[in-house]
Amino acid sequence: MKIIKKILVFLLIALIVIQFFHPEKNLANGPFAADISTVYPVPAEVNNILKASCNDCHSNNTKYPWYNNIQPVAWWLNDHVEEGKREVNFNEFGSYRIAKQYRKLLEIKEQVEENEMPLTSYTLIHNNAKLNEQQKSILINWADSLRSIIRSKYPADSLVIKRTKN
């Protein structure tokens, strides 16, 4: 019984100590020169969907909930944001190679179609981020139309990502 009490005291102390260590927040002031809306047309309804369902993890500016001040939740959220930005960052989209832009738009379309985005873990708490069928259709059509714009502006070989062996 004493060992269990020692373990619980240790865990409590560890939980208190980690409250003093927080990751850097994903907060930046725009406008961003490479933002997708600067480079390509983003209709207002698409922009609203991106703001509500995507930008917290896929931009340089996250709106943090109150529970982000509690550890280890802040680390978990930070990991999601960093991973999301690695996958696609709408504030940096224009700086991607054309082939990467083209591929990322296809990935956006596929993940929305397959209900992989936004993440369920995000929509459980952010109910307004859930996409209805109309919103999914709007995003899918927009991604397709941007891919068509890119395809018409650039030669086909610039849309292929060349892989080299290292």
Side-chain angles (χ1 to χ4, degrees):
M1 192 66 160
K2 279 190 169 194
I3 190 100
I4 292 174
K5 191 174 183 179
K6 286 182 182 182
I7 290 172
L8 289 175
V9 168
F10 174 78
L11 289 175
L12 179 62
I13 291 170
L15 188 61
I16 292 169
V17 168
I18 66 172
Q19 300 310 308
F20 295 100
F21 301 95
H22 291 270
E24 186 177 341
K25 290 189 176 185
N26 182 46
L27 299 172
N29 293 323
F32 302 97
D35 191 270
I36 193 167
S37 64
T38 304
V39 181
Y40 296 110
V42 179
E45 60 189 349
V46 171
N47 194 41
N48 291 337
I49 294 168
L50 293 177
K51 281 181 183 177
S53 301
C54 309
N55 284 354
D56 274 348
C57 294
H58 297 287
S59 76
N60 292 332
N61 202 5
T62 300
K63 291 180 184 145
Y64 288 97
W66 66 267
Y67 52 84
N68 182 65
N69 295 313
I70 301 169
Q71 294 295 23
V73 175
W75 291 327
W76 180 71
L77 289 174
N78 185 65
D79 184 57
H80 274 281
V81 170
E82 291 301 317
E83 183 180 345
K85 286 173 56 176
R86 276 192 305 273
E87 286 300 318
V88 65
N89 184 335
F90 291 117
N91 294 144
E92 307 294 331
F93 195 85
S95 67
Y96 297 165
R97 293 180 326 276
I98 296 302
K100 183 176 180 179
Q101 292 177 12
Y102 192 75
R103 186 184 79 240
K104 289 299 174 184
L105 289 165
L106 177 61
E107 290 173 9
I108 290 167
K109 174 188 174 182
E110 290 172 348
Q111 290 192 351
V112 169
E113 284 177 334
E114 296 166 8
N115 297 312
E116 292 178 13
M117 283 289 150
L119 293 174
T120 304
S121 60
Y122 184 75
T123 59
L124 283 173
I125 297 169
H126 300 89
N127 233 2
N128 64 326
K130 289 181 183 176
L131 298 175
N132 61 38
E133 292 304 315
Q134 181 183 7
Q135 291 170 316
K136 289 178 191 176
S137 179
I138 289 168
L139 279 179
I140 290 165
N141 291 336
W142 171 71
D144 275 342
S145 72
L146 287 187
R147 291 184 81 224
S148 294
I149 290 170
I150 292 171
R151 198 170 32 249
S152 69
K153 287 176 78 173
Y154 299 97
D157 61 340
S158 69
L159 302 179
V160 177
I161 295 179
K162 296 173 178 77
R163 303 200 188 273
T164 58
K165 292 183 180 178
N166 292 337

